[in-house]
Amino acid sequence: LTEFAPGATFYARGQKVKVNALEPGAVNNPNWRRRRLCPSCGWGADDAAPVAACPRCGDSAIADIGAVHQVLPFREASAEHSRDEVLIDDEGEDRVRRRYSTVTSVDIETADVVTAWRLRDMAFGAEYANRAVVRALNLGTVTDQGTTVSIAGERRVKTAFRTCTACGTWWDEGKELETVRHRGWCPTRKGVLPVWEDLVLSHELVTQVVRVLLPVSVFEHTEHLVAMKGALLLGLRADFGGDPQHLDVVTASMRDSAGRPRRFIVLHDTVPGGTGYLDRIGDPARLHDILTKARTQLAACRCRTEARKACHRCLLSVLGGSEIEVADRALAVRLLDEALSAWDVEPVATVADIDI
């Protein structure tokens, strides 16, 4: 969704190639659709009819025009350049990495929740759903310009990808319109005026998930969120007997009935439809065992005597990117102790009904 988005650069056989086109489909039957995406939760649908309030969280802001986006399921991109433009010389060895504004949402219908529970004295709980929509969006290049939008409880700057509806050529925001080179078959080559659409790229996965509601003390601080995520991944690796490569972890947001933000860690199967492995993770006794295994490993890690917050033997082995900078082993142990010591479980219909 980002590695081959318009503007991204890839390197092969001594060439430096920038992606500069999408596949928009036929003009009279485009691949993109007008989608209405809830500002507060993961619900989304085709913009076929007005919606007074979100059917998932009740937010009336979904009726605003700002909740409607031109969304293109990202399946194909292309790059077209002359050979002289892409050859790497001695001055072009530095790798270019473009940053994009992205957001991930998770939408679960209550009817698809198989088991759900919470701790009686703590805003912590989990649920297993046999069907959920995990939606990743690329809103465009990160710049100082653009429109600030709210999607799935997250605020992002949306620049979108301005795309020719006839040939899919991307209009790089750093270029003048006259310098944009359309594909050879594009009607603009015959003098027809181009029609541009600002598109958002998406990828949707329908699969099985375990959604874990985090206490407010955890999600208010990035360090706490990263520590809890790392602990869960460590425990899963110990439970699975190795890295479960068919699983992934994302964070998601959803407001409660009073409009207060809630934060979830969502463990999902990367196989469409799921593999059936996650149903056992939703069991409170099994999750307690997983977190206990993580706590044992973290408490015994040798980095506790090495004046380091974390190391490759614990949290750094399961985290990546900017998360490594804030990973804290001792913090993860403390957060696990708080949850495990309050482990008195009661069933609920869904963790989405738990108010912070």
Side-chain angles (χ1 to χ4, degrees):
L1 200 62
T2 57
E3 290 181 348
F4 293 103
T9 303
F10 65 93
Y11 300 81
R13 298 181 179 180
Q15 299 178 359
K16 175 181 176 182
V17 183
K18 180 188 285 189
V19 177
N20 58 13
L22 295 167
E23 178 47 65
V27 174
N28 58 355
N29 185 27
N31 292 335
W32 53 268
R33 295 289 185 271
R34 285 169 55 88
R35 298 274 290 174
R36 191 174 291 274
L37 304 176
C38 181
S40 297
C41 73
W43 185 84
D46 287 343
D47 183 36
V51 179
C54 175
R56 198 75 71 234
C57 69
D59 190 355
S60 60
I62 197 170
D64 297 342
I65 189 63
V68 178
H69 309 269
Q70 314 281 48
V71 180
L72 174 69
F74 188 43
R75 300 189 181 96
E76 183 178 339
S78 61
E80 185 177 283
H81 302 276
S82 69
R83 181 177 176 80
D84 291 340
E85 290 176 326
V86 299
L87 287 177
I88 299 176
D89 55 24
D90 293 338
E91 297 180 356
E93 288 292 334
D94 293 338
R95 295 297 174 105
V96 176
R97 182 176 294 274
R98 183 178 288 247
R99 295 176 59 234
Y100 296 95
S101 178
T102 61
V103 62
T104 301
S105 65
V106 179
D107 183 37
I108 302 174
E109 291 192 29
T110 303
D112 294 322
V113 176
V114 179
T115 58
W117 52 271
R118 64 163 296 174
L119 302 185
R120 295 181 190 275
D121 301 322
M122 187 178 185
F124 180 93
E127 66 186 7
Y128 163 68
N130 57 16
R131 185 186 186 279
V133 179
V134 181
R135 181 184 301 111
L137 298 170
N138 185 340
L139 306 178
T141 306
V142 173
T143 67
D144 296 332
Q145 301 177 346
T147 304
T148 301
V149 297
S150 293
I151 300 175
E154 305 286 351
R155 290 179 64 82
R156 297 286 190 273
V157 175
K158 171 187 169 184
T159 55
F161 299 96
R162 185 155 293 179
T163 306
C164 174
T165 59
C167 70
T169 295
W170 166 62
W171 180 0
D172 188 340
E173 58 269 15
K175 292 186 176 181
E176 297 293 332
L177 177 59
E178 293 76 13
T179 65
V180 177
R181 187 168 60 193
H182 293 259
R183 296 300 192 251
W185 67 86
C186 186
T188 59
R189 293 293 189 100
K190 298 180 180 179
V192 177
L193 291 177
V195 177
W196 302 95
E197 289 287 352
D198 291 335
L199 302 181
V200 169
L201 306 183
S202 76
H203 176 265
E204 290 190 2
L205 173 66
V206 179
T207 189
Q208 299 168 335
V209 305
V210 169
R211 180 165 62 173
V212 181
L213 173 67
L214 300 175
V216 65
S217 60
V218 173
F219 71 74
E220 279 189 330
H221 305 283
T222 301
E223 296 86 351
H224 291 204
L225 183 62
V226 169
M228 200 67 183
K229 175 183 175 181
L232 178 60
L233 288 172
L234 268 181
L236 281 170
R237 187 167 65 182
D239 179 77
F240 191 73
D243 289 320
Q245 297 183 355
H246 64 289
L247 301 180
D248 198 4
V249 176
V250 299
T251 56
S253 299
M254 182 178 182
R255 296 189 180 276
D256 65 14
S257 60
R260 293 168 296 205
R262 289 175 298 185
R263 197 77 165 166
F264 303 89
I265 290 179
V266 182
L267 179 66
H268 72 85
D269 213 313
T270 58
V271 178
T275 60
Y277 174 74
L278 286 177
D279 60 346
R280 69 197 78 175
I281 308 299
D283 178 73
R286 187 63 175 270
L287 186 58
H288 183 278
D289 183 54
I290 289 171
L291 296 181
T292 300
K293 289 177 179 177
R295 199 262 179 213
T296 300
Q297 182 175 345
L298 288 166
C301 187
R302 282 184 289 171
C303 67
R304 72 187 189 281
T305 62
E306 297 173 347
R308 290 194 287 172
K309 286 189 173 184
C311 72
H312 64 281
R313 294 177 292 263
C314 57
L315 293 178
L316 302 191
S317 66
V318 292
L319 298 173
S322 60
E323 296 172 334
I324 291 178
E325 300 175 3
V326 296
D328 190 325
R329 182 200 60 83
L331 176 60
V333 172
R334 179 167 66 81
L335 294 175
L336 289 173
D337 284 341
E338 291 176 0
L340 293 172
S341 64
W343 207 267
D344 183 15
V345 175
E346 64 179 0
V348 295
T350 171
V351 295
D353 292 338
I354 302 174
D355 284 347
I356 295 295

